[in-house]
Amino acid sequence: FEFHRNSASAMFGWINDCTEQLVITKFGIEKWHEIKEKAGCSVKDHGFVRHQYYPDSSTVNLVVAASDVLGIPVSGVLEAFGQFFMEFVRKNGYENLLRCQGSTLRLWLSNLNALHDHLQSSLPAGFVAPVFWCEDCDSVQGSILLHYFSKRGSLLCPLVVGVVKEVARFHFDFEIEMELLATQGEEESEFTTWRISTNDPKEQWRLTTKEGVDENMSEKIVSDEHEESPEQTTTPMTCPFTGMTFTTVGNGDLDKGIEDPESYKSIQGEGISWQKMQSVFPFHILVDSDFKIHQVGKRLPNLLHCKTKKLVGRKIGEVLDITRPVLGSEWNWPALHKLADQIFFIKPKQLTDTPKTRTTFVEEIKFKGSMLHISDDSIMFILSPDAKNVSELNSMGLTMSDLSLHSFQRDAIFLGEHISSEVKSAHELDRLSKRLKNEKDLSNTLLYNMLPRSVADELRSGLTVDPTHYDKVTLFFSDVVGFTSICDAIEPWEVIDMLNQLYSVMDYLAMRFNLYKVETIGDAYMCCSGLPIPDDMHAENIANFALAVSECVRHVKSPADGKPIRLRIGIHTGHCMAGVVGTLTPHYCLFGDMINTTARHESTGEAGKIQSSSILYGRLMHFSAHQTQQYKFTPRGLVPMKGKGELFTYWLDEGTDGNKEVNPVAIRKLYDEVGEVLGKKKWKKRRYFRRGSALGGASVAGSDALTMFDSRSQKSTSNKDAESVTDDVDDQDHDISSEVESNYSNVEEREKSLQELDDMINGDNDLSSPEESPEDAALGSADKLQCTIDSWKNVCWDVDLTREDLVENIHKLMMAILSKCFGDGIDYDPDIDFLDKQLYGFVHRISTLYRDENRFHNWRHACHVALGATFLIEKAQEVGEEDPWIQFIVAFSALIHDVKHFGVNNSQLQLEQHAVWQIYDNGSCQERYSMHCGLSIFIEEFPELSREFLQGCPMFLRLVSSAVLATDISSSEVQRKVKEKFEAVMADESDSSKSKCERTEAALEHILLLADVGHCSQKYDTFLRWNRAFYEECFVNYLNERGIDPRNGWYEGQIRFLEKYVMPLATRCESLMHLSCPLTTGVQSILGRWRLEGAEWTEQMIEELWRKKDSTEIICSDG
């Protein structure tokens, strides 16, 4: 019940789900909502996924909030939770499994570890269970001691108390007391220990003895413990296991199986030899009381990749570690005797003589087994590989034939493989069912906004909705004055934006005054009060709404002239029919003469005024439920209306001071309130007729945006190509949306993020050319940047720049490129100052995410890569048409490619079972993490900036993602795919099957890769500086036990890296530049000098850093 993930504070979803059910069952749904709000929990009701990870903090927050809300101590909440959890587990299909755990409470608790081991096969990988074991209590007769160990310490101890008490009550029908004797982590105690005794001393025997004996059994047991049978004899015997002795105990008539020692000796010659024993128990270990190994199974040495003679005679602690149960000082003779009834989980240590080629298999091996007392001074551990399925068996380097024929492990692995598949399906089904419920809730919300709830439920049930007559209904009609002339003067998307703001105001007020929105048609808005739920205040509700709308609509400006729009409003009361019309798209419609009459009052009204019928006037002035006059009217007189003749009408002017809802003071407050609501909304302009832009089709000038990597400079893009590019955009948007979706634990945040992302991709930017000349190269104004850029070998920032200096310079560099992106070739009118501030904010924000403690993967290196990548992309574009968006993308990718890097490689995170590796377990975990962090900040914290970028370059996200993910140079698989892609799309430029986007993608990946290791082809001093930084980072990791010792083979490793990786990469990149920027010569120059001087330089560096290893100097970083 308390599984948690390695190297991460995560709790299983069962716990939170059970907590929710406990509160709802015992205290009601309202209390649960109050607890969730106080705990800051945004998960919907019944939304916890049982097989999903949740942070410990979320569970702790719920428990603390429950304590505050319910007025119960935290320990009391946890104990109540423990008791309820057993009921919760029983109801979820585990009752039979729990019932057969043991015939006594002691046996039940002793078997908990085995139960957890069984359950772990059906749980996600990476979870560790707590450890329990029992022993007799010497100080209190008949009581037992329960020991408990958890990775979380004593955090959940009260929960354990609740569980044990509920087990005793439900399964064994007695009440117990648990006296806390020791707490894990306090007073050097390694475990939490309770003394368990029954409330009734006469029932103490039931803790350890099965029911069914007579009532005096407790006294009999006590007397038997001190009484020795006179017939009991002890005879030393020789064991058939050669070289070992044991003692047989004779007890009168009970020894009919062995009449005398001689009868045993008669078959001694047929006993099991050591050789046979090694085959029967191929993975056993026999040790003496000093834990010296005397015997090992036949297959164990091969599994550990060492010889038998190197195991025999060694201390077992040098070879194996006990992972569970936790013993404190692991190989402790008295402690082992207390745990004779427990299953042991053992993991081999890395032996110094194990071949390096076998290290991976040894790290994956784990054993499971039991302990057998051979004599007072010898113990045998009967082990077997702890593999629950075929994949785990393969990871150990084993096959089925390596397992003993005499055990059931082969059958267990086959069964485990089947269970593993079924469990994966069950977990996926659990996740999908929760997602389905969330989606159903979303669809219900949408449906109930379109139809009344009662009507929608009837339609969904397949019933026919009969029309309903309503006697007391008041109706509201409005339209925008001069709407047709406004539409003629502005773009279609501007009309949509204007109406969106208008209807947002009116919808907000409709909910405020409890109205039902019937429909909108163009600029016409129709709502009512009194249906589908009757309301005696229907007339007052509509009048208040009309007054509020006529005032608050001033917030909405006409795009044509910038002035507030004005409405014509008509209101009337009467009776009508309501029903559902249509089957394909059902509509809830109103029918009756009052609808036509209300429409006539609206159409004959005047701008900015509310025209009321005389019937409604009489209802409000003479038959209102209020004791005082609520409204001020002005008679208009007889007004001719089509089909109605002349009707006497009134202008509704305002509410009186006695009207609390819409008096002048209330109206002003409401106006300000609506203004705040509109201010919080991020209104997105939409361009439904998108103009050409880089990577999104033909440019405005008609030139190809990607001719830098395509010699066929087509002047237009075919419809087929345009559709292909659009499909690519959709695919990339889907991929990024999926990445963003996995970072949120609830539907509200996910939907908000995806909506913002969709708005950004489809957003509109009316930007025109900036004042700065687009012909200026990004690196052409070196006097503005504190760097050297006269040639590739000299590209670097000034070494004395601070973090803020680098932020300033990177901002200038990227802003120079961005000015070219929004140049004269587009029909936008950008706010350059605003973009400049946003870009600076983004660069500064990203700089804070780099870890200062990293010597290599830090902010300074990211800036070096960004400068080098910008230089290389400009060189590449010298042989083709320049596209500033490509320049900006490569600089942007370089900026975020190592965000939040941990300073260790991906394989180390995998070894540590780091949370980042577990989230991104499909490879390149740090690269995906960096990409995720960088793009999430870009989209969520700088929405206006990201909207401009995505509008200007729809392929922005796809190209950035592919470039960043390609920087995983430690993965041979990733680099193989990057190389194959490059060779495939660049081999034949005339091949029309390779899209321009694919060529651009491959080129950007290679340029960023080369810039990432740019110091390997630049000046030798630059190479040494970054080489030392990388060594220091590796050395610090080694000192912190987070990596291998870099001193071994550093000099030779650099030669291999330059020859096998950097040189081929530089050669491929040169092909992009047609030798305009020689790169391989730089690699050859560094390689030559390193061969001559590198060994001595490396030796000096290692010696210097080794002297400093105990100081803080080595772990300081210049950022």
Side-chain angles (χ1 to χ4, degrees), residues 608-623:
K609 292 189 175 183
I610 305 170
Q611 183 167 224
S612 170
S613 68
S614 58
I615 298 175
L616 180 57
Y617 167 81
R619 168 70 175 78
L620 293 173
M621 297 298 291
H622 305 298
F623 300 99

Side-chain angles (χ1 to χ4, degrees), residues 476 501-517 525 527-528 541-556 567 569 661-662 666-667 669-675 677-678:
F476 170 99
Q501 292 187 47
L502 172 63
Y503 293 153
S504 294
V505 171
M506 300 181 77
D507 289 346
Y508 177 79
L509 295 173
M511 288 188 293
R512 177 71 177 268
F513 293 104
N514 197 27
L515 307 183
Y516 176 72
K517 177 182 176 181
Y525 190 94
C527 64
C528 63
N541 292 339
I542 288 292
N544 293 339
F545 172 74
L547 291 171
V549 165
S550 62
E551 178 67 19
C552 294
V553 77
R554 294 191 294 112
H555 283 294
V556 183
L567 299 181
I569 298 175
E661 298 290 338
V662 290
I667 283 290
K669 290 183 179 179
L670 195 57
Y671 178 84
D672 294 337
E673 180 182 326
V674 171
V677 172
L678 291 178

